[in-house]
Each structure stands twice: as C-alpha cells, then as structure tokens.
Amino acid sequence: MEAHHKTWLKQEALLPADKPRDNPLFIVLAILAFLATLSLLSLKVSYQAAGHWSANLNETATVQIKPDATSDEAALVQMAQSAKDILLKSPNISGVDILPKAHSQALLRPWLGDAPLPDDLPLPTLLHVQLRPGQTLDVARLSSAFTAANLRVDIDNHAHWTKDLNRRARAAQLLAVFAFFLISVAISAACIFAIRAGITAQRKLMDVLHQIGAAPSYTARLFSSRFALGGFKAGCIGALGAFILLFLLSVFSETTGSDNYFIPGFAIGLQDVYLSILIPVFMALVSAVAAWHTVMKTLIAEMYS
Amino acid sequence: MNIPISPPPDNHLSSSGLSFERVSLRYGRDTEILTDVSFTLNQGSLNFVTGPSGAGKTSLLKLMYLHMRPSRGLINVFGHDTALLNRKDIPALKRRMGIVLQEFRLVDHLSVFENVALPLRVSGRPRREYVDDVVSLLQWVGLGERMGAMPQTLSGGEAQRAAIARAVIAKPDILIADEPTGNVDHEIGVRLIRLFSELNRLGTTVIIATHDLALIPDTANVLTLRHGTVIHKEAHRGSSS
C-alpha cells in the first residue's frame, strides 16, 4: 500500500490545459491586451498632453511689437525694452523674455522655406510673457499703458488657442476612453465566447461533477480560476509588448527631438508600468467573472428543472 | 402499494429511504412518460426496475436521482419532499447517492484512479486520507492492475466496474444504476450484479434498472413498468403483490 501512496499522491488536474483549443484563445487575448494597453497609455498621454497644452497656454501670453516703416533696429530694441518694463510692473506677470529675431524668422520658415530672408523684411519683435500660476492677463489695462507709451502692440493672451486646443484635447480624451471601453467590451465578449466553447469541450466533466454532487460553485470555481489564469498570462504578454513598444517610441521621439511646440511626444516612462499591470489584472477579472457567470447560469438552468 | 422491505422501519418513511406517491412525468406537452407511479424503497434493500424499452425505467431513475422534477405527485428522498427542495440543496442530497449510467461517463483525461477518487476529491477530503480507500476498492472490483490506465484503454466491463467504484467510493446511502449490464456480455453482467448484491449486503440501498430478467437475484424486490405505469410489484421473487 505504501507503494500506492507514492504512486497516487500526485493529483491530476481536473481541468487540464487543452492546447489546440487554448492557444488561439491565448493569442486573441494577448492581442486584445496589447490593444487595451495601447489604448490605456494613449488615454494617459492624451490627458497629460491636454494638461500640458492648457498649462502652457493659460499661463503664458505673447506680446507682439509691430515695426513701422521708420523703425530701425535700435528703435525696435528700445520699444521692446519699454514694453518689457511696462509688463513687469503688472503683479500677475512673473517674467518677460524678449525673443531674438531668429525666433520670428523661424516662425516664418514653414511658409517661406529655409531660404535666407531679406534683411529689410519687417518682422515683429516678440515678447514671451510668463504669468504667475492661476493669474490672467489684464489686457485692457496693459493696452492703455502701451498706448500711453506710444507703442504699437498686439497682446495675445492665448485665450482663443486655449479654448480650441482644450476642445481638441477633450475630444482626444473621449476618443481614448471610448476606444478603451470598446476594447474592454471586446475582451469580455471574447472571454465569454471562449468559455462557452470551453464548457462545450468539457461538457462530460461538468456532467460527471454534477452527477456526483459537486455544487455548481465548485465547477464554476474550477473554470473561473482556469480562465482567470489564462487571461492574466495573456494580459501580461500583451501589456508588456505594448509597453515596450510605446516606451521605445517615447525614447526615440525624445532623442530625435522636435521643433513643434504644440504636439508633445510620447511621454511614456518606466513610472507608467503600473498602468500596464492594470490590464492583465483587468483581463483576469473579466475572464473569472465571465467564466463564473456562464458556468453557474448553465448549471443552474439544467439543475432539477 | 409499497414494496415490503426487510424489516419495515418504525416510521412509514425512513430518512435513508425513497418513496414515490402518485408520481407522473411529462416532457413538454407530449404524452406522459410516467403515470401515477407509487412505491416505497426502504434502507438496505436490493431493488430492480424492469420493463421493455420505452417503459419509463430511465425516466423513473432520473426522478430518483433528482435530475428532473415530476409533473405531478410527491417524491420523498432521505426524508425530504423534493417539491420543497431549493436548488442549492440538490448537490448535498446527490452526494448521498451513487449513480451508474449506461454510458459509464468516465472523464477521459483522468486515470481510473482519479475517476474513482473524484467524489472524495469534490467533497474536499485531503488526498492522503482517501488514497488507501480508492486503492482497496479498485482491487475489490478487480481493477487493481488498471489504476493508472486511461478510460479509453478500458474494456466495457472494466469501464463499467470503474463507474461502479466511483459511484460507491463515498459510501452512498443509495446506489442507482441504469442498465449497468447493457454494454457488457452476460458473464460480466452476472459478475456486476454479484458486485451490486455484495454492496447491498454492506448496507447500501441498491436500485437497478434492467430489461434482463435473468440477472435478477431471488432476494431482490422487483418493480415492473410498462408504458409508464407500474404493472407489477414483487417483494422478493415468487411473492408478488
């Protein structure tokens, strides 16, 4: 009998891996996890970008000093300095930078190309105004002060840009949320479909368990733990793949650089890995709940009817 | 009329017994499969349900092992009126029954040992506690050398003995077998009936559906069905009621 003890102590799995049936499901779930992670990280990037845009535009302003036909270089420098002095007197403003002429020229490059600009081309002098956090620009008061100082100035407090960009950012956020929601629904649907197929394949086991008096919750637990583990593994692989891809894109976009002020790069860092961990956990949870619900529904419907 | 069972209990219905009172069964709107079936089986009895194919034997057994509810009438199992049973109570009652079906229903991916141990595993008993019991039972049913075999490699007789071993491993109060000899030759059939009689001698109430009258031992109670009605009840052979 001792020999039998040794032989039979190892317990066989009640619900063993069914590779021909499990592998396609595993691949589908891994792809869904990949897409879900992309969607979730995109959601994070779009929120971050929206915040970045809003903060940048809300807390800055641009003052443009228009040259006239008689203004020479020295007069323009003098006007810029006068404008800066007026601006710095405002308590809402924390700093003012007079931007070099090259900056104005760079702004024309997308329209005029890289060819050298004529020296006598009248270009405005730009002042970058940094506001104190939470403060707004008192445009009316500043305009009066500039008029009094005989300066021809345009003040752009970025309000119209902020409104437009915030609207676009919100649209991008909604799109990411919607995509994430759709992918979540697809994951749930794929799990339910696969579980039904799994139940069909293991119908005999279910019937036997029912015959010998196993509670439906016992059978449901068997299936839900199996599918939860499968969902978690597939989720890990998909999420890791998506994270690595986005992280590399992030590193790549940082090293190549960009002179576009309004489109932030992929701001994915190692600190965002926690978001990727959410996906396999979510997939395990969805798989477990879907399996539990499907098995319980099937068994209870057939039990003593 | 109830089948008199050795020695009758003090109360009409033993908590380990089973009784049907004017039970009828209908599938959907079709003709009744069973009509006004009444009988009582007491603890420790050996009982056979006979009749031609289509007489309603399998349906009667399905009602006994709580696979379906009757359309009419009262079924009492282990002292419980099944009409009042909640679905969550069914598994506990089924664990007090051993069920052997004609098609064996062994789980293909589990060895003979694991198949037989399944009821104990499901009940949550630690494996170390039941290994010896399973080994002993398999040796007793003549499968001592086939414990590690997979069900696909078993002969009909071996598979049937494995199914019977699984049905009795948890020491059920009632053993219900539907045509257990249907897929085996006469010689194995006789040996299986001897096995059931032996289990009965150990105190298990045994109910066997069969159309093979030659297999019924003299000590058994017999219930004969035809067209869904009980046409004959016999308490041990030779003394019909």
Side-chain angles (χ1 to χ4, degrees), chain B residues 13-14 16-20 39-43 64-65 75-78 97 174 176 207:
Chain B
L13 194 64
S14 161
S16 296
L18 191 149
S19 76
F20 276 48
F39 60 85
T40 296
L41 307 177
N42 282 344
Q43 185 183 359
M64 286 181 185
Y65 63 78
I75 299 176
N76 203 304
V77 179
F78 304 130
M97 300 176 178
I174 294 180
I176 299 169
I207 304 154

Side-chain angles (χ1 to χ4, degrees), chain B residues 115-152:
Chain B
N115 265 287
V116 172
L118 206 50
L120 302 174
R121 184 172 174 177
V122 164
S123 69
R125 273 182 61 184
R127 192 169 178 83
R128 281 178 181 279
E129 281 184 15
Y130 64 71
V131 168
D132 286 349
D133 292 346
V134 176
V135 170
S136 300
L137 181 61
L138 282 169
Q139 284 169 341
W140 191 64
V141 297
L143 292 174
E145 302 301 315
R146 305 285 282 148
M147 285 190 283
M150 301 309 282
Q152 308 88 293

